[in-house]
Amino acid sequence: MSTHRAVEKALDILLAFTPNNKELGTIDVSKLMGFHQSTVSRLLHVLADKGFLRQNPGTRKFQLGPAAMHIGLAVKKSLQANLVPIAKPYMEALREDLNETIALEIFSGTNTVLAHLEKGSARINLAGNIGDILEGHAAAGAKAILAFSTKDVGARI
């Protein structure tokens, strides 16, 4: 297996644990991804050795590990330090004009990720937490992004 293809498979395996981080065994991942069990086993153990996965000693199944969490926290910190400060004044002004909750969603693949909320004072508010993955075909922000995206992006969603 080429190094390039091995990296792709390892990343696909990591993504198989999102968004719920459900425990998966070698056979589960093999069936889910369509990869040979020996390949999956080898990659699961490499990812566990590097801390991206952790293995439950009782079930022998895997879940995302601390290294995956550290990457997620780094992305969150980056958004909070770089993007949110730029968007926040505009979001606050829009919230004041509309008296509604304003959400900042970041387009990622076929979904959006909730990056920031400016809560309005209206009785009905958006429910959600920073970092929530929102369906690309259902979330309001995703629909707005799709409306101004290329036809290729729309077809992929």
Side-chain angles (χ1 to χ4, degrees):
M1 174 178 2
S2 74
T3 302
H4 182 266
R5 188 66 188 127
V7 170
E8 286 179 353
K9 285 183 177 183
L11 293 172
D12 286 341
I13 288 170
L14 284 175
L15 290 173
F17 290 90
T18 64
N20 298 318
N21 199 19
K22 178 183 164 195
E23 272 194 350
L24 298 171
T26 303
I27 294 170
D28 302 323
V29 175
S30 177
K31 287 179 182 176
L32 186 66
M33 308 305 311
F35 302 154
H36 194 275
Q37 284 184 24
S38 64
T39 301
V40 169
S41 177
R42 188 171 50 252
L43 290 172
L44 286 171
H45 284 92
V46 168
L47 290 167
D49 288 345
K50 296 296 182 180
F52 289 96
L53 296 176
R54 64 179 182 83
Q55 189 174 28
N56 180 331
T59 65
R60 307 291 297 152
K61 293 185 176 190
F62 295 85
Q63 286 185 294
L64 291 173
M69 181 183 64
H70 295 306
I71 288 175
L73 290 172
V75 171
K76 184 178 177 184
K77 283 182 183 180
S78 174
L79 286 173
Q80 290 171 340
N82 299 314
L83 183 60
V84 171
I86 294 168
K88 192 172 171 91
Y90 299 100
M91 293 176 70
E92 289 171 344
L94 190 57
R95 179 197 62 212
E96 294 303 317
D97 287 347
L98 300 176
N99 198 26
E100 297 287 346
T101 297
I102 307 300
L104 174 61
E105 296 176 33
I106 308 298
F107 191 63
S108 176
T110 59
N111 300 311
T112 60
V113 177
L114 187 57
H116 184 69
L117 279 176
E118 284 294 328
K119 297 249 182 195
S121 59
R123 292 181 136 212
I124 298 175
N125 252 319
L126 290 174
N129 297 306
I130 304 305
D132 283 355
I133 297 171
L134 309 169
E135 295 294 327
H137 65 280
K143 287 180 182 179
I145 292 168
L146 284 174
F148 293 93
S149 295
T150 65
K151 288 182 181 182
D152 294 343
V153 172
R156 191 174 73 230
I157 305 281

